[in-house]
Amino acid sequence: EDIRVYEFAEACGKSPAEVITVLFGLGMMVTKNDFLKQDELEILGEEFGIEVTVKDALEDANYVEDYQEEEIDESNFVTRPPVVTIMGHVDHGKTSLLDKIRSSKTAASEAGGITQHITAYTIKQNNQKITFVDTPGHAAFSAMRARGASVTDIVIIVVAADDGVKQQTEEVISHAKAANCPIIVAVNKMDKEGANMDMVKAQMAERDMTPVDWGGEIEFIPVSAKTGEGIDDLLENILLQSEILELSADPEAKAKATVVEASLEKGRGPVATVIVQNGTLRVGDNIVCDTTYGRVKAITNDLGKQVKELGLSETGRVLGLNEVPVSGTIMVAQDSDKEAKDIATTRAEHARAKELSKSTKVSLEEMSGLIAEGKIKQLPVILKADVSGSLEAIKTSLEDIHNDEVKVKVIHSGVGGITESDLILASASEGCIILGFNVRPTGAVKSKAKADGITINTYSIIYDLIDDIKDALSGMMSAII
Ligand code: GDP
């Protein structure tokens, strides 16, 4: 069960101050109304020489309940299409590949003039379906998995044939391996002069990703997102891998779908893009999705057409939730609207109680104050920028800002939008703030940051960013002097 600092103190006959002092000494800032985390409880247990048993929080129990399959009846199982994620180093052609596959496999009449890039879509190859999902990055991919939503069956790692393995390629390899699903390497930009398949194979083999024709297990498919070369091979390969996986699910079960993106749309309300993992999601279904709930009012498929239902591994945009859900959460159909509402409300109450205890997450100004009081020795930041050039420049400038008492610590930096995985990382480091340069959080990320009490500051001028951070630190300088 969750326990607050003062409750814990009471339970072991100490004063809240004693408890707070112990944690302060270890750099963990809590106030007496905060809920204690498991690691903090363990530390306190050791410190006070008492035994602390940590039971599952009620909230966790609630989550688990939904993720468990009810009455699995394998006799209803049918083969389901694979869900594929493409990841790779920036500029290696992930977006181009996703767009090319979609456009070359969608009849012009069907596409109905849809040209814009979308989060998820389903195509047919030899009359077999494949669903592709675009994740904002490999960190987001893993954050989703951390939340229990492993929507991906097969990972495609895209590597540009003229550029080879880069830092993010290496990160992607680790994330994909951790996900424990089959990997296919798409060697892209084969149309370019300087494309070198063998170089890519050699670099990948060095990283334990040995090609099949070199005696390993990984398929390397030469492709070009520009000319469309190799796309059929890639799709055939996906189908082969998918056959080996024997993916199956029950189309008659209560619908369960993963939210891959969600936003608030003018005139339509909350819209969630989902991929169905089990069952069939129908218009009229009562649904619950983390702390949000509702009844499916309408579904539009990936071609923008209204449909009555979404089948296994299919994707579409669902209208009818009362609020915007966080991506990575799982939408589950319930028997009645009352049930859906009750589950969501209980979770929301829990979330609210936690939010009230979030006094350790602070704004830049408050941070400056805490630094002034000598309570903080470093200002942890997460830095995101639109291009690697500015990222490196800002990172270097930030790490230059320091003095004897305090310094800036960039705990993570990356090219790309501010995502939920940044929030996860920020909430794991006391007092961490997120800085964005020419990038912004999506609506869902923004509202989650607000709910979690995490500060996100975005800038379009480097000096403004640097100045803000300097001010935060020098505010403390003058306060000390
Ligand atoms: P992402 O960052 O991985 O999503 O990469 P993009 O899809 O945005 O592609 C980066 C750049 O490479 C763009 O300018 C694309 O036009 C270009 N590009 C992508 N695929 C190919 C390809 O197969 N051949 C050539 N010549 N250029 C490509």
Side-chain angles (χ1 to χ4, degrees):
E1 284 292 329
D2 289 343
I3 186 163
R4 292 175 192 266
V5 168
Y6 72 87
E7 290 166 340
F8 178 86
E10 232 166 61
C12 56
K14 306 270 174 192
S15 73
E18 282 175 280
V19 174
I20 293 168
T21 309
V22 168
L23 294 174
F24 250 5
L26 294 161
M28 299 168 174
M29 278 184 297
V30 294
T31 66
K32 73 181 169 78
N33 287 320
D34 284 343
F35 286 103
L36 287 162
K37 295 193 215 82
Q38 179 157 350
D39 54 341
E40 292 167 344
L41 283 169
E42 280 164 10
I43 289 166
L44 288 169
E46 270 174 38
E47 193 72 23
F48 295 143
I50 48 173
E51 201 168 311
V52 180
T53 329
V54 182
K55 287 193 211 141
D56 268 352
L58 167 66
E59 181 188 50
D60 293 344
N62 264 341
Y63 274 94
V64 169
E65 169 200 336
D66 281 343
Y67 293 148
Q68 278 167 354
E69 301 284 346
E70 318 166 7
E71 310 145 23
I72 300 174
D73 179 1
E74 297 221 357
S75 64
N76 288 333
F77 272 36
V78 298
T79 305
R80 69 166 175 82
V83 180
V84 179
T85 301
I86 304 186
M87 298 191 282
H89 190 73
V90 65
D91 281 346
H92 278 196
K94 178 189 87 155
T95 314
S96 308
L97 206 53
L98 276 165
D99 290 347
K100 187 68 180 179
I101 293 169
R102 183 168 187 241
S103 65
S104 61
K105 294 292 159 186
T106 312
S109 57
E110 271 186 312
I114 300 169
T115 49
Q116 118 214 51
H117 184 75
I118 57 168
T119 314
Y121 63 78
T122 306
I123 53 112
K124 269 188 186 169
Q125 175 77 357
N126 300 339
N127 238 0
Q128 287 173 279
K129 288 181 184 164
I130 304 173
T131 294
F132 285 90
V133 51
D134 187 12
T135 55
H138 41 278
F141 169 82
S142 285
M144 265 217 197
R145 280 201 317 112
R147 241 171 286 134
S150 36
V151 73
T152 302
D153 301 308
I154 296 168
V155 172
I156 309 245
I157 300 182
V158 55
V159 186
D162 61 340
D163 202 23
V165 172
K166 286 278 168 300
Q167 188 208 332
Q168 285 162 27
T169 317
E170 293 187 338
E171 290 172 22
V172 165
I173 294 171
S174 333
H175 283 257
K177 278 186 180 161
N180 211 12
C181 47
I183 298 170
I184 300 172
V185 179
V187 185
N188 190 34
K189 306 200 188 186
M190 286 305 287
D191 62 286
K192 279 184 104 172
E193 218 170 295
N196 189 342
M197 183 84 174
D198 280 340
M199 170 190 76
V200 175
K201 281 184 174 172
Q203 291 174 339
M204 291 296 270
E206 265 173 42
R207 287 153 180 98
D208 211 13
M209 300 276 296
T210 314
V212 170
D213 50 339
W214 290 19
E217 307 214 310
I218 312 285
E219 292 287 354
F220 282 61
I221 317 285
V223 299
S224 164
K226 192 175 171 191
T227 67
E229 171 203 339
I231 300 251
D232 278 320
D233 286 345
L234 182 63
L235 299 178
E236 296 294 333
N237 223 282
I238 291 169
L239 290 174
L240 270 175
Q241 297 280 357
S242 143
E243 230 169 82
I244 298 166
L245 289 172
E246 295 185 345
L247 303 168
S248 61
D250 177 3
E252 304 303 325
K254 268 189 212 163
K256 202 174 101 175
T258 303
V259 176
V260 291
E261 194 181 62
S263 58
L264 193 61
E265 290 187 11
K266 237 183 171 170
R268 308 177 87 190
V271 178
T273 302
V274 303
I275 294 179
V276 176
Q277 295 201 285
N278 201 23
T280 304
L281 184 68
R282 298 186 173 87
V283 171
D285 279 355
N286 295 298
I287 46 171
V288 57
C289 194
D290 193 24
T291 58
T292 66
Y293 66 95
R295 171 175 288 203
V296 179
K297 266 197 290 199
I299 304 174
T300 36
N301 69 8
D302 50 358
L303 295 166
K305 285 197 191 116
Q306 294 262 353
V307 291
K308 287 267 172 288
E309 58 181 47
L310 290 177
L312 295 173
S313 298
E314 287 184 340
T315 173
R317 290 152 51 83
V318 175
L319 265 69
L321 284 170
N322 67 331
E323 279 173 58
V324 179
V326 174
S327 56
T329 51
I330 295 186
M331 181 181 284
V332 188
Q334 301 295 327
D335 289 329
S336 66
D337 52 351
K338 186 179 177 302
E339 231 171 291
K341 188 176 174 176
D342 283 352
I343 295 174
T345 319
T346 312
R347 287 175 182 165
E349 274 163 15
H350 232 81
R352 216 165 297 134
K354 285 220 151 163
E355 195 181 322
L356 288 176
S357 78
K358 290 258 164 64
S359 51
T360 53
K361 307 285 188 308
V362 291
S363 73
L364 202 49
E365 291 82 46
E366 290 168 311
M367 196 74 189
S368 187
L370 287 169
I371 291 169
E373 290 161 32
K375 285 186 180 153
I376 294 179
K377 298 281 173 241
Q378 62 183 20
L379 173 58
V381 306
I382 290 175
L383 174 65
K384 300 302 288 277
D386 56 341
V387 292
S388 53
S390 355
L391 185 75
E392 286 312 312
I394 297 168
K395 195 174 163 205
T396 312
S397 309
L398 281 178
E399 284 169 346
D400 267 357
I401 308 173
H402 64 85
N403 53 56
D404 290 346
E405 287 83 25
V406 64
K407 61 176 182 186
V408 178
K409 185 170 164 63
V410 179
I411 59 169
H412 172 70
S413 65
V415 171
I418 295 162
T419 63
E420 281 191 62
S421 72
D422 296 324
L423 296 185
I424 293 169
L425 200 56
S427 45
S429 334
E430 221 63 83
C432 182
I433 58 167
I434 300 176
L435 304 172
F437 180 71
N438 280 341
V439 293
R440 317 189 142 270
T442 61
V445 170
K446 214 187 274 179
S447 46
K448 185 162 193 322
K450 204 170 165 205
D452 291 353
I454 295 166
T455 301
I456 299 178
N457 286 359
T458 55
Y459 303 85
S460 52
I461 297 169
I462 293 187
Y463 297 107
D464 287 349
L465 187 156
I466 302 296
D467 278 353
D468 267 11
I469 301 302
K470 273 191 182 151
D471 283 353
L473 298 199
S474 64
M476 82 89 200
M477 284 299 284
S478 53
I480 283 178
I481 297 160

